[in-house]
Amino acid sequence: MLLALIFATPVRDGPTALGYWRPVQPQLDCVALVSTSCQTQAQCNNDTEAIDAVQLALAHGCHAHVFSKGVACAQPPGFGFPGVHCELKRNVGREFGNLLDYIVEHYDNLPKRLINVPMPLHSHARRPLYLDVLNTTKDFLCSEGGPMRELGNFTFRWYSGFPAGSMPAKYVIPAKVEPMEKFSSHYLGRYDPEEKMCLGGLFGTSRHLIRQRPRRTYEQLQAEVNVGDTVEAGHFMEHLARVAFGGV
């Protein structure tokens, strides 16, 4: 269970003016991976959603690890206080590239709890789910969708929202293995058409569940995802989050 240690008075200055309470000592056994969507200093100065995500993590006794793409972390706006680490990343892979990089690098020293926090926080009902994840005692929690069979044949060329020849589909980098059911079977060794998908990219998992798969699995997924900014494999990973990060 996450432990929230807070001051008796709210912090009002600077980025903490959102009104949250700053924890005395964020717990490194809980890490929220916050993927910012800003790529310029001006954008980051006004990235209230990423600051919100950081503040919520700290208010619940959770360390925040911010991934900044395109802006150096020397003076990260809104993130320059104890319990927050900012890391400059290449603009590839989106939130699942960040997550897989972190798991591969820290596999032998993972926190007990790991929370994947994509931006924007207001989309896909992520913020209320984030609060649930911060407060849950469950090893894994995501926003559940329908059964896998509904999107088992999913590819970006098939997806009705991005018809073949449209601008989005044209520039999506295809996965090496597709559709999604074959991707899951190939990399994760499992595809259950009745298993519930995860939606929105935000979820919480645990060191215990992640380590049920070898580091090599995450390295293979990392290589699939970190090939560009808009990748089909990243969308597969969103729906397969429970399969990939929820144990075997």
Side-chain angles (χ1 to χ4, degrees):
M1 185 174 182
L2 301 181
L3 178 63
L5 301 174
I6 58 178
F7 285 123
T9 55
V11 180
R12 298 295 184 188
D13 59 311
T16 53
L18 291 171
Y20 298 114
W21 303 69
R22 183 179 298 179
V24 173
Q25 186 177 3
Q27 303 300 300
L28 292 180
D29 58 0
C30 169
V31 175
L33 303 179
V34 179
S35 296
T36 64
S37 55
C38 60
Q39 294 189 37
T40 68
Q41 194 69 50
Q43 289 174 346
C44 288
N45 286 336
N46 296 295
D47 195 350
T48 57
E49 295 207 37
I51 296 172
D52 185 22
V54 167
Q55 290 290 316
L56 286 172
L58 296 177
H60 288 78
C62 194
H63 185 88
H65 189 112
V66 178
F67 294 104
S68 178
K69 297 191 175 182
V71 179
C73 290
Q75 294 180 322
F79 311 132
F81 35 77
V84 180
H85 176 73
C86 185
E87 179 180 354
L88 181 64
K89 301 284 289 184
R90 293 185 304 130
N91 190 25
V92 297
R94 299 199 179 186
E95 67 269 16
F96 281 97
N98 296 336
L99 171 63
L100 289 163
D101 285 350
Y102 186 91
I103 290 175
V104 169
E105 181 179 353
H106 300 279
Y107 186 85
D108 295 324
N109 191 32
L110 289 168
K112 291 181 182 178
R113 293 275 298 157
L114 197 60
I115 306 172
N116 194 48
V117 190
M119 294 290 115
L121 199 59
H122 73 273
S123 295
H124 307 292
R126 285 174 179 146
R127 195 177 190 277
L129 174 62
Y130 185 33
L131 289 170
D132 288 344
V133 170
L134 285 166
N135 286 292
T136 191
T137 57
K138 296 179 179 179
D139 273 356
F140 186 92
L141 183 64
C142 74
S143 176
E144 288 190 350
M148 291 284 184
R149 57 181 163 76
E150 293 182 358
L151 286 178
N153 291 322
F154 169 74
T155 69
F156 254 78
R157 286 174 294 285
W158 169 89
Y159 184 41
S160 61
F162 297 91
S166 70
M167 182 66 74
K170 182 178 179 180
Y171 290 100
V172 169
I173 299 174
K176 294 176 183 176
V177 180
E178 56 179 9
M180 191 173 74
E181 62 179 282
K182 290 185 178 179
F183 182 95
S184 182
S185 296
H186 179 80
Y187 289 109
L188 302 170
R190 158 173 137 219
Y191 174 74
D192 180 354
E194 299 307 316
E195 186 167 10
K196 294 294 182 66
M197 294 181 288
C198 287
L199 304 175
L202 194 150
F203 63 91
T205 186
S206 68
R207 175 174 63 205
H208 167 70
L209 294 178
I210 290 173
R211 284 186 179 166
Q212 289 182 20
R213 295 189 180 279
R215 189 200 302 259
R216 178 59 181 158
T217 296
Y218 301 111
E219 289 174 339
Q220 291 174 330
L221 293 170
Q222 180 187 39
E224 267 276 19
V225 170
N226 285 337
V227 293
D229 175 44
T230 306
V231 292
E232 187 175 48
H235 293 272
F236 291 170
M237 293 300 300
E238 174 186 337
H239 299 309
L240 294 169
R242 184 190 304 278
V243 183
F245 307 105
V248 297

